[in-house]
Amino acid sequence: MSTALGNHILVEFMNCEPSIMNDVSAIERDMVAAAQKAGATVINSTFHHFSPYGVSGVVVIQESHLAIHTWPEYGYAAVDLFTCGEMNAWISFDHLKECFGAKSYSALELKRGSVNLLQRNDFDITSMRQKAAEWRNPDFYTRNVWFTDKDDEQALSLRFTGEVLFDVQSPFQRVRILESYKYGKMLALDDMVMTTEKDEFHYHEMISHPALFSLPSAKNVLIIGGGDGGTAREVLRHKNIEQVTMVEIDGEVIEACKIHLPKIAAEFDNPRLDLIVGDGIEFLKKASPNSYDLIIVDGSDPVGPAEGLFSVEFYTNCYKALKSNGILVAQGESPKFNEKAFTELNLTLQTIFGLDKAPISLFFVPTYPTGMWSFQYGIKGNITVNEVKNKSEIQDFVAKEKLRYYNEAIHTNTFALPNFVKELVRKK
Ligand code: SPD
């Protein structure tokens, strides 16, 4: 008979791969596999990622638990392997050592609950047995894994299944397709949510239709970025558009979305679309003047490859490439999440296009931090965007195309700004 109720191995994994130590989905997968490899029955796992670094999580097993806390900046993981019964937790140890790439480690094994020191008290558990028999085991373990899009002060978290459907480190960024419970499959670039199956229409309808209904005879559209394909899909709904040129820097984003988000990446084979995998910033440096009715900048946030999409030089080149009556629409960040980028972009557009030629459209995206997001406009020539001139045409289009966000009332109201936003972008 064993002399202890449990066995506890306290592990220090050191000099681990820092990126793995910060990857909540990989750690959850590895911890669950470590338990299963050692023959444990997994009941539940709950894992969280912390800002800016670190993962904590527990795998509850019928034989006790496996727990972890990581410090990616030190390449360090503190792991507890607590087991009872015949399970050999050293198998879990070996698995995790390999998965984490730990170059050094130490482990201390303790016996827990020494039976010599404990007194056994048997009690009647008949009623508990009845209750247990009534409870139906769903026969699967639950997972509690969260993806967090954040800065140092705010975050938006989505619970996802833990399944990683696509995970490629491209030359520009980490491209992932994950599956969230509430919003379906989701494209994440580095640690930022780009789009999800269930709310992508908010963004893609609003980046396209207010501008296109303000330019009824537009023919040529340039999209910079937009690798998921949602913006191109919306633009191509307009039959007056003869040619859409789309320049996306990262071919992996296109591939990931073609495979996993086909309803968003729906129009890549449209003959009116010229899809170029290349650098949009360089493309615009060489673009012929007066070429496009509409330029849409569907980029990600101003870190990594999209940083240049927030520069004065880039928007000066956009201005030149627009026709004399043309519109620029740019992903404009959030006045609540990225106030600095939001304000600076508007100042840039006011400087290049003119003080009264840089309207802002606000709209709602539940999966972006704070939910409040913007598109920022640059108007070249005499075009008004915040008025509806063709109400019945819009109504027919919305009905025919089954749009779910944009309508003629939203068209006007999206340009109405709360006072605090007006104050942020007050003309100097
Ligand atoms: N923080 C998200 C900023 C929006 C980035 N673009 C989304 C791409 C959708 N086509």
Side-chain angles (χ1 to χ4, degrees):
M1 187 182 156
S2 170
T3 54
L5 299 178
N7 192 47
H8 202 160
I9 307 179
L10 300 168
V11 185
E12 306 278 276
F13 283 130
M14 293 165 285
N15 297 311
C16 302
E17 187 52 52
S19 60
I20 297 175
M21 293 292 92
N22 209 30
D23 188 335
V24 65
S25 52
I27 291 174
E28 191 255 2
R29 179 198 61 210
D30 295 340
M31 292 284 286
V32 169
Q36 288 170 335
K37 266 194 148 181
T41 303
V42 176
I43 309 284
N44 172 281
S45 71
T46 184
F47 280 77
H48 286 262
H49 179 252
F50 297 102
S51 180
Y53 313 116
V55 171
S56 285
V58 183
V59 181
V60 179
I61 54 179
Q62 202 158 298
E63 298 78 3
S64 285
H65 70 259
L66 274 53
I68 186 166
H69 306 281
T70 73
W71 282 260
E73 66 276 35
Y74 294 103
Y76 168 68
V79 173
D80 289 0
L81 308 172
F82 191 115
T83 57
C84 53
E86 296 308 308
M87 177 180 163
N88 179 1
W90 289 105
I91 297 174
S92 306
F93 171 89
D94 287 338
H95 181 74
L96 293 173
K97 178 165 60 101
E98 196 174 319
C99 292
F100 297 166
K103 293 191 188 66
S104 52
Y105 48 85
S106 68
L108 177 67
E109 189 171 19
L110 302 169
K111 296 292 167 202
R112 301 290 302 271
S114 171
V115 287
N116 299 333
L117 303 173
L118 300 171
Q119 193 181 344
R120 187 178 173 120
N121 293 306
D122 283 319
F123 54 97
D124 183 5
I125 54 169
T126 320
S127 67
M128 290 161 80
R129 279 215 179 104
Q130 268 160 5
K131 275 197 189 135
E134 285 159 18
W135 183 75
R136 296 180 77 79
N137 190 327
D139 207 25
F140 57 81
Y141 74 91
T142 56
R143 300 166 99 181
N144 197 2
V145 191
W146 293 79
F147 181 94
T148 302
D149 183 341
K150 63 192 182 297
D151 64 12
D152 289 343
E153 292 159 0
Q154 295 187 73
L156 186 134
S157 289
L158 295 172
R159 185 176 168 209
F160 71 105
T161 61
E163 299 303 321
V164 180
L165 305 172
F166 188 98
D167 189 355
V168 169
Q169 181 65 48
S170 81
F172 307 101
Q173 56 211 340
R174 184 175 184 192
V175 181
R176 274 183 293 175
I177 304 277
L178 310 169
E179 180 138 32
S180 72
Y181 280 103
K182 178 81 179 170
Y183 291 98
K185 286 182 204 153
M186 153 177 119
L187 168 69
L189 298 182
D190 291 330
D191 288 321
M192 294 167 285
V193 176
M194 289 294 121
T195 199
T196 76
E197 281 180 313
K198 299 275 174 69
D199 75 346
E200 56 89 10
F201 63 94
H202 295 226
Y203 183 100
H204 294 123
E205 291 184 17
M206 290 307 289
I207 202 172
S208 315
H209 303 310
L212 284 162
F213 276 110
S214 307
L215 286 170
S217 45
K219 290 186 173 38
N220 293 311
V221 177
L222 172 65
I223 301 171
I224 301 295
D228 52 66
T231 299
R233 181 197 65 199
E234 291 306 312
V235 170
L236 287 162
R237 291 188 197 277
H238 293 257
K239 298 299 171 240
N240 53 299
I241 300 302
E242 292 173 0
Q243 167 97 51
V244 178
T245 306
M246 180 176 143
V247 189
E248 163 62 50
I249 198 165
D250 198 337
E252 293 293 350
V253 175
I254 298 171
E255 276 317 298
C257 296
K258 275 186 179 170
I259 300 167
H260 296 288
L261 297 171
K263 288 194 177 144
I264 303 177
E267 294 294 331
F268 281 140
D269 294 328
N270 191 310
R272 290 184 288 147
L273 177 69
D274 180 16
L275 175 58
I276 299 168
V277 178
D279 183 342
I281 297 170
E282 290 303 313
F283 183 91
L284 267 157
K285 281 184 191 163
K286 297 178 200 133
S288 309
N290 302 310
S291 306
Y292 300 102
D293 299 286
L294 171 63
I295 298 178
I296 298 180
V297 183
D298 182 7
S300 58
D301 305 281
V303 283
E307 210 171 336
L309 300 181
F310 288 77
S311 73
V312 173
E313 187 196 359
F314 174 71
Y315 286 106
T316 306
N317 291 333
C318 288
Y319 183 88
K320 287 184 199 153
L322 280 173
K323 291 182 185 169
S324 53
N325 280 309
I327 297 180
L328 165 95
V329 184
Q331 189 280 100
E333 295 295 312
S334 164
K336 281 290 186 192
F337 186 61
N338 199 343
E339 184 182 312
K340 185 165 178 285
F342 174 85
T343 312
E344 285 177 2
L345 178 59
N346 198 251
L347 190 61
T348 299
L349 296 175
Q350 284 180 29
T351 309
I352 296 166
F353 286 83
L355 281 187
D356 297 317
K357 299 281 186 181
I360 293 170
S361 146
L362 286 184
F363 63 105
F364 179 70
V365 184
T367 56
Y368 290 172
T370 76
M372 180 185 247
W373 219 258
S374 79
F375 293 123
Q376 301 210 23
Y377 284 59
I379 308 293
K380 185 171 175 184
N382 278 324
I383 303 161
T384 325
V385 288
N386 58 357
E387 281 171 17
V388 166
K389 296 163 209 98
N390 32 15
K391 185 171 168 183
S392 62
E393 201 187 313
I394 293 178
Q395 286 171 336
D396 291 349
F397 182 91
V398 166
K400 181 169 166 283
E401 300 293 338
K402 299 188 173 63
L403 299 190
R404 290 189 293 157
Y405 196 102
Y406 175 79
N407 59 40
E408 81 281 0
I410 292 274
H411 183 122
T412 320
N413 291 333
T414 190
F415 295 101
L417 301 181
N419 297 339
F420 83 91
V421 178
K422 284 188 188 172
E423 189 57 31
L424 281 178
V425 297
R426 195 161 46 90
K427 293 155 189 76
K428 304 285 184 280

